[in-house]
Amino acid sequence: RVEGLFAKALFMYGTAQTFYSPTHALLFANGACFLATAGAFFATNTNKSLYDRWHPLGLHLVPGLWATLVALNHTSLLPPAVVAEIVHVSASL
């Protein structure tokens, strides 16, 4: 349940970041990741026979690639104070 909640939140953040893609190439890449992830989600939830084949690719591999693209190439949509707190908490772990 928690994993699904975080996966959906990451999907929404990636979708929001897609609208702020700094280049056309990143817009294309982010858009492709959006379509692949959304397509895999709907396909595997409406046709369970597709689950074993498409779930790992469309709901694990592609979102990981998408998150990496966003992390490396976008500025944060979160307020700077929130980002600073996340970095502070992460450093203390």
Side-chain angles (χ1 to χ4, degrees):
R1 290 182 170 252
V2 173
E3 177 190 359
L5 177 68
F6 279 99
K8 288 171 183 68
L10 185 61
F11 177 80
M12 292 185 320
Y13 187 77
T15 300
Q17 282 282 20
T18 297
F19 292 102
Y20 295 98
S21 296
T23 67
H24 292 306
L26 279 170
L27 177 61
F28 178 79
N30 288 328
C33 289
F34 168 84
L35 291 173
T37 302
F41 178 81
F42 289 117
T44 59
N45 280 286
T46 58
N47 185 346
K48 297 298 182 190
S49 68
L50 300 174
Y51 188 89
D52 287 338
R53 182 181 188 113
W54 293 107
H55 176 89
L57 177 65
L59 297 173
H60 292 281
L61 183 66
V62 172
L65 172 64
W66 191 10
T68 302
L69 286 172
V70 168
L72 293 176
N73 298 292
H74 290 257
T75 57
S76 178
L77 296 178
L78 298 172
V82 172
V83 174
E85 185 61 27
I86 292 170
V87 170
H88 173 72
V89 169
S90 297
S92 67
L93 295 178

